[in-house]
Amino acid sequence: RYLLEQDFPGMRIGPEPTTDSFIAVMYGDSEGNVPGNALVVDPKKPFRKLSRFGNAFLNRFMCSQLPNQVLKSISIIDSPGILSGEKQRISRGYDFCQVLQWFAERVDRIILLFDAHKLDISDEFSEAIKSFRGQDDKIRVVLNKADQVDTQQLMRVYGALMWSLGKVIDTPEVLRVYIGSFWAHPLRNTENRRLFEAEAQDLFKDIQSLPQKAAVRKLNDLIKRARLAKVHAYIISYLKKEMPSVFGKENKKKELIGRLPEIYIQLQREYHISAGDFPEVKKMQELLETCDFTKFHSLKPKLIEAVDNMLANKIASLMSLISQEESNMPTEVVHGGAFDGTMAGPFGHGYGEGVKEGADEDEWVVAKDKPAYDEIFYTLSPINGKISGISAKKEMVTSKLPNSVLGKIWKLADCDGDGMLDDEEFALAKHLIKIKLDGYELPGTLPSHLVPPSHRKPLQTAE
C-alpha cells in the first residue's frame, strides 16, 4: 500500500491479522480480481504449477490487477499475516511453508516485515523463515513503525531483532535491516527523521535495481537448476544400478534409502561434486519411499556432457549477450507511487544537506562561517595572502580525518592548483572538512555553488 500509494482490490489493513490470502498484485489495464482457480489455468500468468497445492490453497489465492505505474516494472506477492499464540494450532488447510518455498524460489526479493512494538518470532514465522533456506541472498528485513519508539528504545528493539533473527537464519553474515515508518501518517517521534529518510532511500534503491538484474538472476537460476538436475541424475542412476534384477527388491530399496548419506559421500568423491549441490537427505529419503527404483533411468553420459558443455561455454556467451543488451538499452528502474515522492522537489534525500547545502542560494554558502575561518587563516602566517601546504596541513590534521580524505579535500579546495590556499580556498577546505565530519560524502568534483567567488569565471555575454 505504501509503495503503490493506492488501495488494491482485496486489500485490508488493520492491527489484527487481516489477510488470510496470498494476493499477487500485478499490472492490469483496469482494476479487478482474478480468483486462484482461474489463475492457475491462465497460460499468460506464471502460476500454473501452484495447482498442486489443491483447492484449500487456491481458495486463498487471488490476483489483484490495477493500472499502477509501479506495477509496470515489478509484481508483488502479498502473503498472509503470520499466526501466533493459540491461532498457530489452527490448520490453514494447506502446506503454508511449501507455498512460501515455491514463491521464494521464483521471486527476486523477499521482504520480512516486523513491527517495532511486536517483535516476537512465533513458531509459524520461524518455520516460514526456515522455508527460505538457500534463498538467503534475496532476504531483506524491514523494521516498520520505528517512529512509535524513542531512540533509546529503538536501539534495544534493533538489538533484540538481530538476536532473534540470528537464532532462526543460519548465515554467517548479518541481514540488512531497513528501519523506518512506511506509511503516509505523521511521525510520532521525529528525532530519527534523517535516519528513516536514509533507510527508505536505501530500500527504494534496492527495489528499483531489481528490473535491471532480472535477466542475470534468471540465468543464475538456470545454472543452479542445471547443477541440481545433474546431481539428481547421478543419485537416481546409482540407485537403479544397485537394484537386483529379480529377487529382494523391497529389501534392497530399504537398505539403499538407509544408506543415502553414504551414497552422497561416494558420489561426491567419484564425480567431484560439492556437498552443497546435493538435496537434503531426510527430504530425499521421504520422497524415495514412494518410488519404484526399477523404473529409474540409467545414466546417459551424453546428456551429462551436454549440460557440462552448456555450463562451461554457452552460459559465458549468454552472459556477454546480456551485458551488451543492458549497455545498449536505457536503464530500467521502478517509477510511480512512493518511488517518485522521494525525488520530488526539495524533499529528495540529501537535498540541501552536506555538499548540496546552498545550491539554491545566491550567496556563497561558506561565507556565513568565513569570519571564524579567517581568524584561523591569519594565525598560519600567510605570505602574499596565501598559506603553504605545510601550514594548511598543521591545521587540517586537527580534524583527525585520515590522510586519504584530507588529500581529497585539498584537491577540491585548491581551485587554481598552485599548491597554496588563499583565504577563500582555506575557508572552503574547512567547510568540506565540516561536511565530512557531519557524516556526508565528498563530491568527485567541486560543485559550481561551492567554487569561491574570486575563482569563478566571469560570465561572457553575447553582444
Side-chain angles (χ1 to χ4, degrees):
R1 172 67 184 80
Y2 176 75
L3 294 177
L4 301 179
E5 290 190 340
Q6 78 174 93
D7 292 355
F8 53 87
M11 184 194 88
R12 266 185 68 220
I13 295 173
E16 78 283 4
T18 47
T19 46
D20 186 28
S21 301
F22 280 86
I23 304 174
V25 189
M26 303 177 84
Y27 184 82
D29 293 326
S30 58
E31 275 195 36
N33 263 344
V34 183
N37 283 293
L39 261 183
V40 294
V41 293
D42 185 349
K44 292 178 182 174
K45 295 277 191 292
F47 304 119
R48 299 185 83 171
K49 294 280 174 74
L50 283 168
S51 57
R52 67 185 171 97
F53 294 108
N55 271 334
F57 165 70
L58 296 177
N59 291 335
R60 297 269 172 219
F61 179 47
M62 65 166 126
C63 175
S64 282
Q65 293 184 315
L66 63 158
N68 187 293
Q69 185 74 22
V70 174
L71 299 173
K72 281 187 174 180
S73 308
I74 54 170
S75 296
I76 303 164
I77 308 295
D78 181 22
S79 64
I82 297 290
L83 303 176
S84 59
E86 286 294 312
K87 287 181 184 165
Q88 290 178 90
R89 293 174 195 165
I90 304 165
S91 172
R92 289 183 186 266
Y94 60 90
D95 195 329
F96 180 61
C97 289
Q98 282 287 311
V99 174
L100 284 178
Q101 194 174 349
W102 189 92
F103 279 115
E105 286 168 1
R106 289 157 179 82
V107 298
D108 293 284
R109 186 65 76 240
I110 301 163
I111 298 177
L112 303 179
L113 282 162
F114 288 89
D115 279 7
H117 50 73
K118 282 189 290 188
L119 264 194
D120 61 314
I121 298 182
S122 66
D123 292 349
E124 190 181 50
F125 203 177
S126 179
E127 288 302 312
I129 294 171
K130 282 174 185 169
S131 67
F132 299 143
R133 197 158 282 158
Q135 313 293 335
D136 305 318
D137 57 318
K138 296 178 182 178
I139 298 175
R140 302 288 184 273
V141 178
V142 168
L143 181 58
N144 199 10
K145 302 178 187 173
D147 65 319
Q148 300 192 9
V149 292
D150 60 34
T151 306
Q152 189 179 19
Q153 289 169 325
L154 182 60
M155 187 179 71
R156 288 177 180 155
V157 164
Y158 180 79
L161 175 62
M162 297 307 287
W163 181 76
S164 302
L165 285 170
K167 291 202 297 181
V168 181
I169 300 174
D170 301 326
T171 53
E173 67 273 11
V174 176
L175 280 175
R176 175 67 168 96
V177 178
Y178 299 94
I179 302 166
S181 179
F182 296 93
W183 65 348
H185 293 255
L187 301 174
R188 285 200 187 174
N189 281 313
T190 55
E191 54 198 42
N192 293 313
R193 186 188 187 104
R194 246 185 76 190
L195 168 71
F196 298 160
E197 284 173 5
E199 291 285 281
Q201 200 66 29
D202 285 356
L203 178 62
F204 284 177
K205 275 182 190 165
D206 187 64
I207 296 170
Q208 283 181 306
S209 68
L210 293 177
Q212 288 171 263
K213 297 171 185 170
V216 176
R217 188 194 64 78
K218 282 171 186 166
L219 196 60
N220 188 47
D221 281 354
L222 173 69
I223 297 164
K224 200 190 289 184
R225 289 185 72 167
R227 287 166 64 125
L228 293 175
K230 207 171 93 170
V231 171
H232 190 74
Y234 285 135
I235 297 167
I236 296 303
S237 60
Y238 181 88
L239 296 173
K240 160 84 172 175
K241 190 175 73 179
E242 292 293 304
M243 286 299 282
S245 52
V246 187
F247 301 112
K249 289 178 183 177
E250 274 306 308
N251 289 336
K252 187 66 178 175
K253 178 182 166 179
K254 281 179 186 172
E255 184 211 318
L256 287 169
I257 291 172
R259 277 184 48 228
L260 199 60
E262 296 166 39
I263 293 167
Y264 277 14
I265 293 164
Q266 191 178 329
L267 291 172
Q268 278 176 47
R269 287 176 187 154
E270 193 175 336
Y271 296 106
H272 309 290
I273 308 165
S274 165
D277 287 348
F278 282 84
E280 203 181 323
V281 174
K282 277 187 184 176
K283 193 179 174 187
M284 193 67 173
Q285 285 171 328
E286 284 169 22
L287 291 168
L288 289 171
E289 291 282 352
T290 56
C291 297
D292 182 355
F293 287 14
T294 56
K295 289 182 179 174
F296 286 167
H297 292 281
S298 300
L299 192 69
K300 293 175 181 168
K302 277 193 175 179
L303 290 178
I304 296 287
E305 206 176 297
V307 172
D308 286 338
N309 179 40
M310 179 197 76
L311 292 172
N313 305 315
K314 297 192 177 166
I315 292 292
S317 57
L318 262 177
M319 274 300 290
S320 63
L321 278 172
I322 287 171
S323 56
Q324 274 175 30
E325 200 172 278
E326 282 179 350
S327 61
N328 294 334
M329 287 173 70
T331 307
E332 190 186 348
V333 291
V334 183
H335 289 292
F339 295 98
D340 287 354
T342 55
M343 299 296 165
F347 299 98
H349 175 60
Y351 192 97
E353 298 172 8
V355 174
K356 295 171 188 169
E357 187 190 350
D360 296 341
E361 297 169 19
D362 294 331
E363 193 184 352
W364 189 39
V365 70
V366 185
K368 62 180 186 292
D369 296 316
K370 192 170 180 291
Y373 299 148
D374 281 350
E375 282 183 30
I376 302 166
F377 178 77
Y378 289 111
T379 62
L380 299 172
S381 312
I383 299 163
N384 299 328
K386 293 193 174 190
I387 57 168
S388 65
I390 296 167
S391 301
K393 182 182 175 182
K394 283 176 190 171
E395 174 56 32
M396 287 169 74
V397 293
T398 60
S399 66
K400 298 183 181 175
L401 286 170
N403 284 354
S404 56
V405 175
L406 292 174
K408 190 174 182 183
I409 289 170
W410 173 270
K411 195 176 172 185
L412 292 168
D414 185 12
C415 299
D416 51 14
D418 65 351
M420 302 180 88
L421 300 182
D422 61 26
D423 60 327
E424 285 187 348
E425 289 173 325
F426 178 76
L428 173 61
K430 291 292 282 181
H431 181 72
L432 292 171
I433 286 170
K434 182 173 170 284
I435 286 170
K436 191 65 188 170
L437 292 175
D438 286 345
Y440 298 100
E441 288 304 310
L442 294 171
T445 54
L446 194 67
S448 56
H449 71 276
L450 285 182
V451 176
S454 64
H455 291 271
R456 291 177 189 175
K457 289 175 184 174
L459 292 170
Q460 293 179 343
T461 53
E463 288 180 10

